[in-house]
Amino acid sequence: MSIDQHSERETDVAASAVDLPQLNRRLRPGAKAPVRIIHLGLGAFHRSHQAWYTHQASDAADWGIAAFTGRRPDAALALAGQDGLYTVVNRADDGDSFAVVSSIVEAVDGADVQRLAELVAAPATAVITLTVTEAAYRLRADGQLDRTAPDVAADLELLASGSSNPTTPLGRLVLALAARRAAGAGPLAVVCCDNLSHNGTVAHNAVAGLAGAWDAGLAGWIDANVSFVSTSVDRITPRTTAADVAAVQAACGYRDNSPVVAEPFSNWVLSGDFPAGRPLWEDAGAVFVAEIEPYENRKLWLLNGAHSLLAYAGQLRGHTTVAQALADPLCLQAVEKFWDEAEANLSGPAGNAAELQIPAYRAALLQRFGNARIAHHLAQIAMDGSTKLRMRAVPVLRAERAAGRSGAAAALMIAAWMDYSAASAAFQDPLAAEVAAANRLAGARRIRALLDLVDPALAADGSVAGLVESLSGTFGERAVSP
């Protein structure tokens, strides 16, 4: 096709799109559910997961979501123009199916802290869900809030002065919870949906820690009135592309500026109390358990751990997506060996590992990762590695060492991250400056400095540092030419 022909085709597609109606509640009439859920971190995963589960609940008409963005308002502006409606593209090996989700009834710029406070203070609000990324909680190695982190310190100054609104999601949440306390609106549940072990405890320590550093009375009120629910969440959700937008237009006959693509599989395990009620998420397959740690570890180690390993090893080998990396025998072998180590240290509820169905879970992961129609980009997964490795590689490495084994497969994930951090021109990490400084060192000093950013205790163990150093360069030979 010539350049002129290609331009003509793009013009025709754009013109046909203009002729199509915009997705909104006039095109898809239906009553808006009242706001009873607040979400912080409006993005693709929230829309493919928590909002999708809420839409599927039999009592969905009673549970509307007001979703707030994080750093930028773009997602809220796009969704607001569609009255909160969007399309979920269910992308299976054999084709796509499409469904409009209506559970988000208000999409708001995260900087609108006044609106957040109004909604959190409303008596009808019962649940606050979070997808603010693992790095946002700013906890020290001892699990308590790092008050010296620059953004935490800045928020504490703003809260103390009352001169302006906090800028971090958790700072904004603390201010909104203060408004609920002042309104006497009663208890509610905070549901952390970020990929962290014991994520309910993590959320509690971050929120209560920030509140306590500002107002001890507020921290006490939070402890007495806010339930922090732990969850394990799972649904592969790649970034939406222009081709996905065009596919929705062609299949559905309307314009949707904010579709979200997801795999058919979804999973949500929750543990904790909902003092003001919750939707019937179990209608869509959510599971409520008394002991969540076995399910958290299964997902964090087997799925997320493999994702991180593929993200670093795969990009070093010249791949761009999970499916491409998994098709590389060297990457697949590394994943299988890591899974063997992880499986050896997984135990189910009450010690019954059989309940976790690990062999079936591993087989399903291979099938899910191999879905070439889900373009899950390795660069997206690779971000914030210093935080992610603490949940995905370090626990397995520690458990293997404690059992008298080397933990080489878990150590390889850390070594691949180190190699990637030095090779990538687009390295993104909350400790990017520290990583760059460590990478200016040489040999064993560099390895120890990088390992210290992930886990100081492991860095102090010469045998672990030596193991990681010996594994560096494993994925140095590219399988794909640039």
Side-chain angles (χ1 to χ4, degrees):
M1 181 183 294
S2 71
I3 293 175
D4 287 344
Q5 288 175 318
H6 185 73
S7 299
E8 287 173 6
R9 186 179 178 212
E10 286 186 339
T11 301
D12 290 343
V13 170
S16 62
V18 170
D19 294 337
L20 294 174
Q22 182 75 43
L23 176 63
N24 53 42
R25 292 181 191 267
R26 294 182 299 280
L27 182 67
R28 293 292 184 95
K32 279 189 175 183
V35 173
R36 298 198 65 199
I37 302 172
I38 311 300
H39 181 76
L40 302 186
L42 173 58
F45 182 74
H46 167 65
R47 293 189 291 126
S48 78
H49 195 273
Q50 300 93 48
W52 179 85
Y53 274 90
T54 303
H55 176 79
Q56 299 290 328
S58 59
D59 57 352
D62 300 326
W63 293 92
I65 301 170
F68 289 76
T69 59
R71 300 181 184 91
R72 300 172 57 183
D74 305 38
L77 294 173
L79 269 187
Q82 299 181 175
D83 301 320
L85 300 184
Y86 61 94
T87 309
V88 171
V89 182
N90 195 56
R91 181 148 292 166
D93 282 328
D94 57 354
D96 294 342
S97 59
F98 306 85
V100 174
V101 172
S102 59
S103 54
I104 295 178
V105 297
E106 189 171 342
V108 191
D109 180 355
D112 191 348
V113 182
Q114 181 179 350
R115 182 57 179 156
L116 175 64
E118 290 172 356
L119 289 170
V120 171
T125 297
V127 177
I128 300 171
T129 54
L130 306 175
T131 53
V132 295
T133 77
E134 298 92 332
Y137 294 91
R138 295 293 189 263
L139 300 187
R140 303 187 306 252
D142 64 359
Q144 300 304 309
L145 180 72
D146 182 3
R147 298 184 185 183
T148 66
D151 53 355
V152 173
D155 267 6
L156 286 172
E157 286 185 16
L158 293 170
L159 288 166
S161 68
S163 60
S164 187
N165 291 322
T167 60
T168 68
L170 297 186
R172 293 165 177 171
L173 176 57
V174 165
L175 188 64
L177 288 172
R180 187 173 183 90
R181 177 194 182 202
L188 50 62
V190 170
V191 183
C192 179
C193 300
D194 288 300
N195 286 316
L196 294 157
S197 183
H198 307 290
N199 55 14
T201 301
V202 168
H204 167 268
N205 291 352
V207 172
L210 189 59
W214 172 41
D215 180 342
L218 175 60
W221 180 88
I222 288 172
D223 282 338
N225 291 275
V226 180
S227 168
F228 288 85
V229 177
S230 289
T231 70
S232 174
V233 297
D234 191 0
R235 194 175 196 184
I236 295 173
T237 306
R239 285 179 175 162
T240 302
T241 67
D244 298 325
V245 173
V248 172
Q249 291 175 358
C252 302
Y254 55 69
R255 286 180 291 124
D256 181 351
N257 297 324
S258 300
V260 59
V261 176
E263 65 171 335
F265 178 92
S266 66
N267 183 249
W268 197 5
V269 184
L270 303 95
S271 180
D273 298 324
F274 290 84
R278 61 168 178 81
L280 294 172
W281 287 319
E282 55 266 47
D283 291 345
V287 178
F288 294 84
V289 299
E291 184 184 356
I292 198 169
E293 184 177 5
Y295 300 94
E296 286 180 330
N297 289 341
R298 182 184 68 173
K299 196 260 179 170
L300 283 169
W301 298 354
L302 298 182
L303 188 149
N304 297 120
H307 263 172
S308 286
L309 180 51
L310 291 170
Y312 307 125
Q315 289 187 92
L316 289 167
R317 297 274 288 167
H319 307 301
T320 60
T321 69
V322 169
Q324 291 171 0
L326 192 71
D328 182 332
L330 186 61
C331 294
L332 175 60
Q333 181 185 55
V335 167
E336 294 278 16
K337 287 183 176 180
F338 175 72
W339 279 350
D340 289 342
E341 289 187 354
E343 182 175 350
N345 296 286
L346 283 169
S347 61
N352 183 7
E355 287 193 26
L356 295 180
Q357 300 180 317
I358 295 171
Y361 190 83
R362 286 176 59 162
L365 285 179
L366 289 175
Q367 184 175 10
R368 293 168 62 194
F369 288 178
N371 182 355
R373 300 192 68 246
I374 292 283
H376 201 181
H377 290 278
L378 299 174
Q380 178 186 0
I381 300 167
M383 295 187 292
D384 301 340
S386 66
T387 300
K388 293 175 178 177
L389 289 174
R390 293 174 197 142
M391 281 80 69
R392 304 178 183 188
V394 169
V396 176
L397 178 54
R398 284 182 173 277
E400 285 291 280
R401 303 289 290 187
R405 298 184 290 268
S406 72
L412 179 59
M413 188 192 310
I414 298 173
W417 170 74
M418 292 180 179
D419 290 343
Y420 171 77
S421 75
S424 174
F427 184 75
Q428 295 186 50
D429 195 278
L431 299 179
E434 292 87 343
V435 170
N439 275 324
R440 288 193 286 271
L441 302 174
R445 290 181 62 212
R446 169 180 172 269
I447 298 296
R448 285 194 299 271
L450 288 169
L451 191 55
D452 187 64
L453 297 176
V454 175
D455 189 288
L458 290 178
D461 185 330
S463 62
V464 172
L467 173 63
V468 172
E469 184 175 14
S470 73
L471 295 167
S472 297
T474 297
F475 303 103
E477 183 177 343
R478 293 174 66 90
V480 178
S481 299

